[in-house]
Amino acid sequence: MNQPTALTRAISPLLGECELTHLEREVIDIRKADQQHHEYEQALEKMGYIIRRVPEAPHLPDGVFVEDTAVVFPEVGIITRPGAESRRPETKTMAEILKEYRELRFIEAPGTIDGGDVLTLGKSVYIGISQRTNREAINQFSEILKPFGYKVTGIPVTKCLHLKTAIAQIEDDLLLINPEWVDREIFPDYRCEHVHPNEPNGANIMRKDNWALCPSSFKYSLEWLSKRGYDVISVDQSEMAKAEAGLTCGSVIVT
Ligand code: GLY
């Protein structure tokens, strides 16, 4: 088994021209974004990941959000076909790196899917049907994963960009969820903790072993994670938030 690795990519100087779906455009401080991304990588290192940067793509505004380009399973890596046309060139360099770790499959047109819409809970894979991800891609995912025993289920996502904006697995049987954005009845086998209403994005966090990584602006999620006994690392994600990106967007985890 490879040492747990987080694949990341440098921030593009064009980040301010990124895709936006639910947000109004605000000025992004690129130097600050760069610093925040570096601190995010340092936090992932502290959690036990090796950081490996995929080749820079300064001409691709959203290139830093590598999560959307690939989904990694123990048995296979799936290279996505992002829903925003401007983001499709991001996948090429990810595939060049990821092929060192996994046999690859590729989502083909007319399928479109962003990795941020894919939540894997054991052998169940939930995929947001969103502005970025369509049923054709979900069918392709299902065909790719069927031989490995996975069941794929599509879930409508309309009020946020990606499924993983609204939900995270915290423990084997515990989810953190925004019930306004995702129907918790879809997960009857799990206990569901709701995010605080003041923090609708509060479920977009990362956990590994006893570590929990959480944006510093999510005061309620931070407190809840601390009370549960996690070693919580908080990182300032203010500039990424303006780019409509969550914490998970900045890496592809390969274990
Ligand atoms: N800016 C993040 C995205 O739209 O994909």
Side-chain angles (χ1 to χ4, degrees):
M1 188 187 282
N2 298 304
Q3 192 164 346
T5 299
L7 303 177
T8 64
R9 186 176 351 241
I11 297 234
S12 159
L14 302 180
L15 180 63
E17 297 167 31
C18 67
E19 295 285 338
L20 291 176
T21 305
H22 298 275
L23 296 186
E24 296 293 325
R25 198 165 296 281
E26 288 181 66
V27 174
I28 294 178
D29 181 333
I30 296 294
R31 276 182 58 158
K32 197 169 166 189
D34 202 43
Q35 177 63 25
Q36 290 177 352
H37 192 49
H38 184 57
E39 286 166 9
Y40 168 75
E41 290 174 324
Q42 285 179 323
L44 291 176
E45 279 181 327
K46 195 168 172 184
M47 293 167 79
Y49 294 109
I50 292 176
I51 301 296
R52 180 168 180 193
R53 278 198 168 183
V54 300
E56 292 192 17
H59 56 299
L60 299 175
D62 282 291
V64 64
F65 306 126
V66 289
E67 176 183 50
D68 293 318
T69 64
V71 185
V72 181
F73 297 87
E75 305 87 350
V76 68
I78 302 180
I79 300 297
T80 66
R81 183 168 179 270
E85 203 168 341
S86 70
R87 300 202 54 190
R88 295 202 185 130
E90 295 173 25
T91 58
K92 189 167 181 282
T93 43
M94 175 55 76
E96 280 163 12
I97 299 295
L98 198 56
K99 73 181 182 198
E100 294 177 27
Y101 299 85
R102 293 289 189 280
E103 199 173 308
L104 297 183
R105 300 281 190 279
F106 294 81
I107 299 301
E108 309 285 354
T112 65
I113 186 164
D114 284 6
D117 270 322
V118 183
L119 175 74
T120 304
L121 300 176
K123 286 286 186 181
S124 297
V125 180
Y126 296 92
I127 303 186
I129 306 163
S130 67
Q131 291 197 23
R132 300 289 175 85
T133 298
N134 63 20
R135 288 184 190 277
E136 171 59 32
I138 293 174
N139 291 342
Q140 291 180 34
F141 245 77
S142 186
E143 286 305 311
I144 292 167
L145 292 175
K146 206 184 290 174
F148 306 114
Y150 291 90
K151 182 173 182 285
V152 174
T153 306
I155 303 178
V157 171
T158 54
K159 295 183 182 157
C160 55
L161 182 58
H162 291 130
L163 176 62
K164 282 169 71 177
T165 317
I167 186 165
Q169 184 174 27
I170 304 299
E171 289 162 18
D172 283 350
D173 65 343
L174 176 64
L175 306 176
L176 182 59
I177 188 167
N178 179 336
E180 300 293 322
W181 289 351
V182 174
D183 181 2
R184 60 170 288 175
E185 302 300 321
I186 293 167
F187 307 98
D189 298 335
Y190 291 84
R191 292 180 294 133
C192 289
E193 177 75 18
H194 292 183
V195 296
H196 193 280
N198 293 352
E199 283 173 12
N201 297 298
N204 193 265
I205 62 170
M206 296 176 74
R207 206 192 58 69
K208 178 179 182 294
D209 306 325
N210 206 54
W211 293 106
L213 180 60
C214 184
S216 50
S217 60
F218 295 174
K219 302 293 177 211
Y220 295 98
S221 293
L222 281 168
E223 192 184 334
W224 179 74
L225 290 162
S226 292
K227 278 190 185 149
R228 289 199 74 80
Y230 289 108
D231 297 315
V232 181
I233 309 173
S234 71
V235 282
D236 187 355
Q237 290 276 289
S238 64
E239 303 313 291
M240 299 307 200
K242 292 178 195 168
E244 202 166 358
L247 200 60
T248 58
C249 301
S251 56
V252 169
I253 301 297
V254 186
T255 55

Short mmCIF file of all heavy atoms in Angstrom, two decimals, residues 18-21 62 65 68 84 87 114 132 161-162 243-245, ligand 1:
data_model
loop_
_atom_site.label_atom_id
_atom_site.label_comp_id
_atom_site.label_asym_id
_atom_site.label_seq_id
_atom_site.Cartn_x
_atom_site.Cartn_y
_atom_site.Cartn_z
N CYS A 18 -12.48 32.30 -11.61
CA CYS A 18 -12.99 30.93 -11.46
C CYS A 18 -14.48 30.85 -11.78
O CYS A 18 -15.18 31.86 -11.83
CB CYS A 18 -12.75 30.47 -10.03
SG CYS A 18 -13.74 31.38 -8.83
N GLU A 19 -14.96 29.63 -11.93
CA GLU A 19 -16.39 29.39 -12.09
C GLU A 19 -17.12 29.73 -10.79
O GLU A 19 -16.61 29.46 -9.69
CB GLU A 19 -16.64 27.90 -12.39
CG GLU A 19 -16.10 27.41 -13.70
CD GLU A 19 -16.93 27.88 -14.89
OE1 GLU A 19 -18.11 28.22 -14.70
OE2 GLU A 19 -16.38 27.92 -16.01
N LEU A 20 -18.28 30.33 -10.91
CA LEU A 20 -19.14 30.59 -9.74
C LEU A 20 -20.57 30.20 -10.10
O LEU A 20 -21.01 30.48 -11.22
CB LEU A 20 -19.11 32.07 -9.35
CG LEU A 20 -17.80 32.61 -8.75
CD1 LEU A 20 -17.92 34.11 -8.51
CD2 LEU A 20 -17.43 31.90 -7.46
N THR A 21 -21.25 29.55 -9.18
CA THR A 21 -22.62 29.09 -9.45
C THR A 21 -23.63 29.77 -8.52
O THR A 21 -24.62 30.32 -8.97
CB THR A 21 -22.71 27.56 -9.29
OG1 THR A 21 -21.71 26.98 -10.14
CG2 THR A 21 -24.08 27.04 -9.69
N ASP A 62 -9.61 27.37 -12.07
CA ASP A 62 -10.08 26.48 -11.01
C ASP A 62 -9.15 25.29 -10.77
O ASP A 62 -9.52 24.36 -10.04
CB ASP A 62 -11.48 25.95 -11.35
CG ASP A 62 -12.57 26.98 -11.09
OD1 ASP A 62 -12.82 27.29 -9.91
OD2 ASP A 62 -13.16 27.48 -12.07
N PHE A 65 -8.58 23.18 -7.54
CA PHE A 65 -9.65 22.37 -6.94
C PHE A 65 -9.63 20.96 -7.53
O PHE A 65 -10.57 20.51 -8.21
CB PHE A 65 -10.99 23.07 -7.12
CG PHE A 65 -10.97 24.47 -6.57
CD1 PHE A 65 -11.35 25.55 -7.36
CD2 PHE A 65 -10.53 24.71 -5.28
CE1 PHE A 65 -11.30 26.84 -6.86
CE2 PHE A 65 -10.47 26.00 -4.77
CZ PHE A 65 -10.86 27.07 -5.56
N ASP A 68 -12.23 17.75 -7.98
CA ASP A 68 -13.26 17.55 -9.00
C ASP A 68 -12.77 16.76 -10.22
O ASP A 68 -13.58 16.41 -11.08
CB ASP A 68 -13.80 18.92 -9.45
CG ASP A 68 -14.56 19.59 -8.32
OD1 ASP A 68 -15.32 18.88 -7.64
OD2 ASP A 68 -14.36 20.80 -8.11
N ALA A 84 -18.29 21.97 -15.73
CA ALA A 84 -17.99 23.27 -16.35
C ALA A 84 -16.96 23.06 -17.45
O ALA A 84 -15.88 22.51 -17.20
CB ALA A 84 -17.45 24.23 -15.30
N ARG A 87 -13.31 23.71 -17.06
CA ARG A 87 -12.55 22.89 -16.13
C ARG A 87 -12.10 21.56 -16.74
O ARG A 87 -11.33 20.83 -16.12
CB ARG A 87 -13.37 22.66 -14.84
CG ARG A 87 -13.74 23.97 -14.14
CD ARG A 87 -14.06 23.77 -12.69
NE ARG A 87 -12.97 23.08 -12.02
CZ ARG A 87 -13.03 22.59 -10.79
NH1 ARG A 87 -14.15 22.74 -10.10
NH2 ARG A 87 -12.01 21.97 -10.24
N ASP A 114 -18.38 16.18 -11.40
CA ASP A 114 -17.31 16.76 -10.58
C ASP A 114 -17.07 15.83 -9.39
O ASP A 114 -18.04 15.37 -8.75
CB ASP A 114 -17.73 18.12 -10.03
CG ASP A 114 -17.70 19.24 -11.06
OD1 ASP A 114 -17.46 18.98 -12.25
OD2 ASP A 114 -17.93 20.40 -10.65
N ARG A 132 -23.43 20.31 -12.12
CA ARG A 132 -22.19 19.82 -12.72
C ARG A 132 -22.23 18.34 -13.12
O ARG A 132 -21.46 17.90 -13.95
CB ARG A 132 -21.04 20.02 -11.72
CG ARG A 132 -20.80 21.45 -11.30
CD ARG A 132 -20.21 22.25 -12.44
NE ARG A 132 -20.08 23.66 -12.09
CZ ARG A 132 -19.04 24.18 -11.44
NH1 ARG A 132 -18.05 23.40 -11.10
NH2 ARG A 132 -19.00 25.46 -11.16
N LEU A 161 -23.27 23.77 -4.43
CA LEU A 161 -22.56 23.39 -5.65
C LEU A 161 -22.41 21.88 -5.78
O LEU A 161 -22.68 21.31 -6.83
CB LEU A 161 -21.18 24.08 -5.67
CG LEU A 161 -20.34 23.81 -6.91
CD1 LEU A 161 -21.08 24.24 -8.18
CD2 LEU A 161 -18.99 24.52 -6.81
N HIS A 162 -21.94 21.25 -4.71
CA HIS A 162 -21.62 19.82 -4.77
C HIS A 162 -22.23 19.09 -3.56
O HIS A 162 -22.42 19.68 -2.49
CB HIS A 162 -20.10 19.61 -4.72
CG HIS A 162 -19.37 20.07 -5.93
ND1 HIS A 162 -18.26 20.89 -5.87
CD2 HIS A 162 -19.58 19.82 -7.24
CE1 HIS A 162 -17.82 21.12 -7.09
NE2 HIS A 162 -18.59 20.49 -7.94
N ALA A 243 -14.09 31.64 -3.92
CA ALA A 243 -14.06 30.89 -5.20
C ALA A 243 -15.07 29.75 -5.19
O ALA A 243 -15.02 28.87 -6.05
CB ALA A 243 -12.65 30.37 -5.45
N GLU A 244 -15.96 29.75 -4.22
CA GLU A 244 -17.01 28.72 -4.06
C GLU A 244 -16.38 27.33 -3.94
O GLU A 244 -16.79 26.38 -4.60
CB GLU A 244 -18.01 28.76 -5.23
CG GLU A 244 -19.33 28.12 -4.85
CD GLU A 244 -20.46 28.43 -5.83
OE1 GLU A 244 -20.24 29.17 -6.80
OE2 GLU A 244 -21.56 27.90 -5.62
N ALA A 245 -15.39 27.27 -3.08
CA ALA A 245 -14.70 26.00 -2.88
C ALA A 245 -14.67 25.67 -1.40
O ALA A 245 -14.56 26.55 -0.55
CB ALA A 245 -13.28 26.09 -3.40
N1 GLY B 1 -15.01 27.61 -8.39
C1 GLY B 1 -15.29 26.28 -8.12
C2 GLY B 1 -16.09 25.65 -9.17
O1 GLY B 1 -16.99 26.20 -9.63
O2 GLY B 1 -15.90 24.62 -9.66
#
